Amino acid sequence: QIRIKRGLEKLDVVVDCHSMGGLVAARFLTYAPMVGVNVDRLISNGTPWHGTPVAHIASVVDCGKEMTPDHDFQKGLVENVNAMRDRVFVIASKGDTIVPYHSALAVGLDIPEDHRFTLDLPYGHLAMLESGEGQALNTRLIEEGIALCRKEA
C-alpha cells in the first residue's frame, strides 16, 4: 500500500526481523516482486532457520509445527534465502535458550560468512533485541541497507 499511495512502480525495503519473523520474511521473498517490492536487505535476529526444539511445545498450531527442527516449511525457504545470499544478514546469540545458536546463525545456508554475527554477551532470545550491542548492530545494518537503496536508485 505504501508503494501505491506514493505512486511508485517499485518499493525498495530493508527488512529487519526477529524469530519466526525471519521465516515469514523469507517466505515473502517469493511474493515481493509480484507486488512491486524489492527486498534490498534481510536482517534476521534469532531466526530459527533450522527450527527450534521449543516449537514442539506449540506444535498443536501450524506456526508451532513450522518451527520444529527441519520442518518442510524451513527447507522450502532455503532457495529464497540462497537466491539473495549477498543481501541476507543473520544475528545470533549463544545465550539464546529458545533458538539454538547454529539455527539462528543459519549454518548450512549459502550466505557469506561476513554476514553472520554473534552477539558477544550471552543475551537471551528477547534480550538480544534490547541490548545496546544488538541495537547498534541492527542500526548499522539497516543504515547500510538504506544507503545501498539510495545508491542504486
Side-chain angles (χ1 to χ4, degrees):
Q1 290 191 359
I2 294 171
R3 180 185 64 78
I4 294 168
K5 284 182 181 179
R6 292 187 179 173
L8 301 171
E9 186 176 318
K10 179 183 76 157
L11 180 65
D12 293 317
V13 298
V14 173
V15 179
D16 189 358
C17 42
H18 177 254
S19 199
M20 189 173 183
L23 302 178
V24 172
R27 181 74 174 121
F28 174 68
L29 296 175
T30 302
Y31 302 101
M34 295 178 219
V35 294
V37 174
N38 178 51
V39 178
D40 279 310
R41 182 170 281 199
L42 172 61
I43 305 163
S44 72
N45 294 266
T47 295
W49 293 108
H50 302 294
T52 173
V54 176
H56 289 292
I57 296 167
S59 64
V60 294
V61 293
D62 284 342
C63 65
K65 290 177 188 172
E66 292 167 348
M67 289 197 301
T68 56
D70 298 316
H71 188 278
D72 288 341
F73 177 72
Q74 298 145 29
K75 292 176 185 174
L77 301 177
V78 170
E79 188 175 315
N80 292 355
V81 172
N82 290 344
M84 65 174 289
R85 65 181 297 281
D86 294 327
R87 296 177 285 150
V88 176
F89 295 80
V90 297
I91 303 170
S93 171
K94 289 184 178 178
D96 190 334
T97 57
I98 304 296
V99 176
Y101 177 70
H102 77 279
S103 185
L105 204 58
V107 172
L109 272 67
D110 186 27
I111 60 173
E113 286 304 313
D114 64 346
H115 288 204
R116 300 174 200 266
F117 299 90
T118 299
L119 298 178
D120 290 331
L121 296 174
Y123 299 108
H125 192 61
L126 295 175
M128 66 187 300
L129 296 175
E130 297 172 2
S131 71
E133 182 184 8
Q135 289 178 0
L137 180 55
N138 275 282
T139 300
R140 179 176 66 83
L141 292 172
I142 291 167
E143 288 172 348
E144 288 173 0
I146 292 170
L148 276 174
C149 290
R150 290 181 178 150
K151 186 177 179 182
E152 293 173 359

